[in-house]
Amino acid sequence: MTGSFWTRVDAAGRNVAPFAVTAMLILVAMVPLYLPGYGAVAPGLGLMAVYYWTIHRPDLLRPAFSFGLGVMQDLLGGTPLGSTALVYVLVCWLILTRRRFFLSTGFTMLWVGFGLVVLGAAAVSWVSHSILQVALLPVAPVLVQALLTAALFPLFAWLFIKVHRAFLQV
């Protein structure tokens, strides 16, 4: 009886890994670094995690969980409620419709795909924030943030691969 119980506890702990890693990265991204202008261009670590886990383990990071993580990021970061959640759900939807393609390609195409996704996410975010502010916001910080996020993706993809191999091998 106890072996069965502990097996289920172990499986539940392993299955929560994508959600926990994504939530942790969202919190890490909110740590204030005292660099001038860094807050406006901080990389989207949560977006990286949503992208990776939606491709590799969509059964463990469903769009509803991505929505919840986006709402959490909006609440903690002070951004308009639902704006990040909208971006995360759109990314999940887009990736789920193209998942077979991403699974059949190498890392270079995965990175190029992420670059396109991050540019689209930046555009959606910029448009939604401009609409909510009833003004055209500057585009430069959004583009720098997108480029920084895309440039850091290989480093974080390596981390996701390590977590995936350590906890989620099927």
Side-chain angles (χ1 to χ4, degrees), residues 25-163:
L25 285 175
I26 288 171
L27 294 174
V28 165
M30 291 186 180
V31 171
L33 295 179
Y34 298 104
L35 300 172
Y38 175 77
V41 297
L45 303 182
L47 182 63
M48 292 182 205
V50 167
Y51 177 80
Y52 179 86
W53 293 118
T54 301
I55 291 173
H56 295 284
R57 290 306 300 259
D59 57 326
L60 300 180
L61 190 67
R62 300 182 184 278
F65 295 148
S66 296
F67 178 83
L69 288 165
V71 169
M72 178 189 83
Q73 185 172 345
D74 289 336
L75 288 172
L76 294 175
T79 55
L81 189 59
S83 62
T84 307
L86 170 69
V87 169
Y88 286 177
V89 170
L90 287 174
V91 167
C92 283
W93 171 78
L94 177 69
I95 297 307
L96 287 174
T97 61
R98 308 285 185 262
R99 184 170 179 260
R100 279 191 178 160
F101 169 76
F102 286 117
L103 286 174
S104 66
T105 62
F107 181 75
T108 303
M109 281 307 296
L110 192 70
W111 192 8
V112 169
F114 180 70
L116 294 173
V117 165
V118 78
L119 285 175
V124 168
S125 179
W126 178 79
V127 166
S128 66
H129 288 187
S130 291
I131 289 171
L132 290 171
Q133 295 283 331
V134 193
L136 287 177
L137 299 176
V139 179
V142 175
L143 287 177
V144 170
Q145 181 183 34
L147 292 173
L148 183 59
T149 302
L152 290 175
F153 180 71
L155 176 67
F156 285 92
W158 176 81
L159 170 75
F160 301 142
I161 290 168
K162 291 293 186 187
V163 170

